[in-house]
PDB file of all heavy atoms in Angstrom:
ATOM      1  N   SER A 906     -37.788  23.011 -11.481  1.00 67.00           N
ATOM      2  CA  SER A 906     -36.932  22.378 -12.561  1.00 67.00           C
ATOM      3  C   SER A 906     -36.949  20.898 -12.400  1.00 67.00           C
ATOM      4  O   SER A 906     -36.735  20.144 -13.390  1.00 67.00           O
ATOM      5  CB  SER A 906     -35.573  23.064 -12.567  1.00 67.00           C
ATOM      6  OG  SER A 906     -34.969  22.762 -11.329  1.00 67.00           O
ATOM      7  N   SER A 907     -37.099  20.465 -11.200  1.00 69.00           N
ATOM      8  CA  SER A 907     -37.078  18.892 -10.871  1.00 69.00           C
ATOM      9  C   SER A 907     -38.338  18.370 -10.613  1.00 69.00           C
ATOM     10  O   SER A 907     -38.445  17.074 -10.393  1.00 69.00           O
ATOM     11  CB  SER A 907     -36.077  18.697  -9.749  1.00 69.00           C
ATOM     12  OG  SER A 907     -36.571  19.341  -8.602  1.00 69.00           O
ATOM     13  N   TRP A 908     -39.430  19.132 -10.664  1.00 75.00           N
ATOM     14  CA  TRP A 908     -40.729  18.607 -10.404  1.00 75.00           C
ATOM     15  C   TRP A 908     -41.468  18.348 -11.778  1.00 75.00           C
ATOM     16  O   TRP A 908     -41.054  18.744 -12.832  1.00 75.00           O
ATOM     17  CB  TRP A 908     -41.590  19.525  -9.575  1.00 75.00           C
ATOM     18  CG  TRP A 908     -41.149  19.646  -8.157  1.00 75.00           C
ATOM     19  CD1 TRP A 908     -40.276  18.734  -7.491  1.00 75.00           C
ATOM     20  CD2 TRP A 908     -41.582  20.557  -7.174  1.00 75.00           C
ATOM     21  NE1 TRP A 908     -40.106  19.099  -6.167  1.00 75.00           N
ATOM     22  CE2 TRP A 908     -40.887  20.242  -5.980  1.00 75.00           C
ATOM     23  CE3 TRP A 908     -42.487  21.687  -7.138  1.00 75.00           C
ATOM     24  CZ2 TRP A 908     -41.099  20.898  -4.796  1.00 75.00           C
ATOM     25  CZ3 TRP A 908     -42.580  22.401  -6.008  1.00 75.00           C
ATOM     26  CH2 TRP A 908     -41.924  22.072  -4.779  1.00 75.00           C
ATOM     27  N   ASP A 909     -42.657  17.679 -11.605  1.00 71.00           N
ATOM     28  CA  ASP A 909     -43.497  17.428 -12.754  1.00 71.00           C
ATOM     29  C   ASP A 909     -44.183  18.664 -13.274  1.00 71.00           C
ATOM     30  O   ASP A 909     -44.946  19.337 -12.540  1.00 71.00           O
ATOM     31  CB  ASP A 909     -44.583  16.416 -12.397  1.00 71.00           C
ATOM     32  CG  ASP A 909     -45.470  15.986 -13.523  1.00 71.00           C
ATOM     33  OD1 ASP A 909     -45.310  16.558 -14.672  1.00 71.00           O
ATOM     34  OD2 ASP A 909     -46.487  15.201 -13.262  1.00 71.00           O
ATOM     35  N   ARG A 910     -43.601  19.172 -14.312  1.00 73.00           N
ATOM     36  CA  ARG A 910     -43.940  20.540 -14.881  1.00 73.00           C
ATOM     37  C   ARG A 910     -45.528  20.636 -15.144  1.00 73.00           C
ATOM     38  O   ARG A 910     -46.151  21.703 -14.775  1.00 73.00           O
ATOM     39  CB  ARG A 910     -43.164  20.835 -16.081  1.00 73.00           C
ATOM     40  CG  ARG A 910     -41.698  20.995 -15.856  1.00 73.00           C
ATOM     41  CD  ARG A 910     -40.976  21.432 -17.136  1.00 73.00           C
ATOM     42  NE  ARG A 910     -39.514  21.577 -16.735  1.00 73.00           N
ATOM     43  CZ  ARG A 910     -39.007  22.764 -16.431  1.00 73.00           C
ATOM     44  NH1 ARG A 910     -39.875  23.769 -16.375  1.00 73.00           N
ATOM     45  NH2 ARG A 910     -37.735  22.925 -16.159  1.00 73.00           N
ATOM     46  N   GLN A 911     -46.063  19.595 -15.652  1.00 77.00           N
ATOM     47  CA  GLN A 911     -47.467  19.661 -15.985  1.00 77.00           C
ATOM     48  C   GLN A 911     -48.292  19.851 -14.706  1.00 77.00           C
ATOM     49  O   GLN A 911     -49.288  20.681 -14.637  1.00 77.00           O
ATOM     50  CB  GLN A 911     -47.959  18.426 -16.732  1.00 77.00           C
ATOM     51  CG  GLN A 911     -47.304  18.312 -18.086  1.00 77.00           C
ATOM     52  CD  GLN A 911     -47.723  19.558 -19.059  1.00 77.00           C
ATOM     53  OE1 GLN A 911     -48.806  20.046 -18.942  1.00 77.00           O
ATOM     54  NE2 GLN A 911     -46.754  19.991 -19.797  1.00 77.00           N
ATOM     55  N   ARG A 912     -47.850  19.026 -13.674  1.00 76.00           N
ATOM     56  CA  ARG A 912     -48.696  19.117 -12.363  1.00 76.00           C
ATOM     57  C   ARG A 912     -48.496  20.574 -11.790  1.00 76.00           C
ATOM     58  O   ARG A 912     -49.516  21.114 -11.184  1.00 76.00           O
ATOM     59  CB  ARG A 912     -48.200  18.088 -11.467  1.00 76.00           C
ATOM     60  CG  ARG A 912     -48.890  18.101 -10.102  1.00 76.00           C
ATOM     61  CD  ARG A 912     -48.595  16.861  -9.290  1.00 76.00           C
ATOM     62  NE  ARG A 912     -49.164  16.981  -7.883  1.00 76.00           N
ATOM     63  CZ  ARG A 912     -48.987  16.079  -6.991  1.00 76.00           C
ATOM     64  NH1 ARG A 912     -48.404  14.989  -7.246  1.00 76.00           N
ATOM     65  NH2 ARG A 912     -49.563  16.304  -5.802  1.00 76.00           N
ATOM     66  N   VAL A 913     -47.261  21.089 -11.770  1.00 78.00           N
ATOM     67  CA  VAL A 913     -47.039  22.392 -11.173  1.00 78.00           C
ATOM     68  C   VAL A 913     -47.797  23.494 -11.947  1.00 78.00           C
ATOM     69  O   VAL A 913     -48.393  24.394 -11.416  1.00 78.00           O
ATOM     70  CB  VAL A 913     -45.512  22.647 -11.137  1.00 78.00           C
ATOM     71  CG1 VAL A 913     -45.206  24.117 -10.670  1.00 78.00           C
ATOM     72  CG2 VAL A 913     -44.763  21.677 -10.318  1.00 78.00           C
ATOM     73  N   LYS A 914     -47.800  23.332 -13.334  1.00 77.00           N
ATOM     74  CA  LYS A 914     -48.526  24.288 -14.181  1.00 77.00           C
ATOM     75  C   LYS A 914     -50.030  24.243 -13.768  1.00 77.00           C
ATOM     76  O   LYS A 914     -50.630  25.303 -13.618  1.00 77.00           O
ATOM     77  CB  LYS A 914     -48.303  23.989 -15.680  1.00 77.00           C
ATOM     78  CG  LYS A 914     -46.947  24.368 -16.188  1.00 77.00           C
ATOM     79  CD  LYS A 914     -46.916  24.034 -17.599  1.00 77.00           C
ATOM     80  CE  LYS A 914     -45.517  24.304 -18.235  1.00 77.00           C
ATOM     81  NZ  LYS A 914     -45.438  23.900 -19.646  1.00 77.00           N
ATOM     82  N   GLN A 915     -50.567  23.079 -13.605  1.00 75.00           N
ATOM     83  CA  GLN A 915     -51.978  22.890 -13.265  1.00 75.00           C
ATOM     84  C   GLN A 915     -52.262  23.588 -11.937  1.00 75.00           C
ATOM     85  O   GLN A 915     -53.184  24.269 -11.811  1.00 75.00           O
ATOM     86  CB  GLN A 915     -52.306  21.399 -13.158  1.00 75.00           C
ATOM     87  CG  GLN A 915     -53.815  21.241 -12.960  1.00 75.00           C
ATOM     88  CD  GLN A 915     -53.984  19.712 -12.866  1.00 75.00           C
ATOM     89  OE1 GLN A 915     -53.146  18.871 -13.053  1.00 75.00           O
ATOM     90  NE2 GLN A 915     -55.347  19.312 -12.594  1.00 75.00           N
ATOM     91  N   GLN A 916     -51.414  23.448 -10.972  1.00 75.00           N
ATOM     92  CA  GLN A 916     -51.591  23.974  -9.658  1.00 75.00           C
ATOM     93  C   GLN A 916     -51.523  25.544  -9.752  1.00 75.00           C
ATOM     94  O   GLN A 916     -52.205  26.291  -9.110  1.00 75.00           O
ATOM     95  CB  GLN A 916     -50.565  23.505  -8.651  1.00 75.00           C
ATOM     96  CG  GLN A 916     -50.744  22.112  -8.300  1.00 75.00           C
ATOM     97  CD  GLN A 916     -52.046  21.927  -7.468  1.00 75.00           C
ATOM     98  OE1 GLN A 916     -52.431  22.744  -6.701  1.00 75.00           O
ATOM     99  NE2 GLN A 916     -52.707  20.759  -7.634  1.00 75.00           N
ATOM    100  N   LEU A 917     -50.596  26.058 -10.528  1.00 78.00           N
ATOM    101  CA  LEU A 917     -50.405  27.547 -10.719  1.00 78.00           C
ATOM    102  C   LEU A 917     -51.670  28.054 -11.390  1.00 78.00           C
ATOM    103  O   LEU A 917     -52.090  29.225 -11.018  1.00 78.00           O
ATOM    104  CB  LEU A 917     -49.167  27.823 -11.577  1.00 78.00           C
ATOM    105  CG  LEU A 917     -47.779  27.600 -10.858  1.00 78.00           C
ATOM    106  CD1 LEU A 917     -46.706  27.818 -11.805  1.00 78.00           C
ATOM    107  CD2 LEU A 917     -47.688  28.461  -9.582  1.00 78.00           C
TER     108      LEU A 917
END
Side-chain angles (χ1 to χ4, degrees):
S906 59
S907 60
W908 286 351
D909 183 357
R910 293 180 177 270
Q911 294 301 323
R912 180 172 172 180
V913 174
K914 287 180 184 178
Q915 182 181 359
Q916 290 292 327
L917 290 175

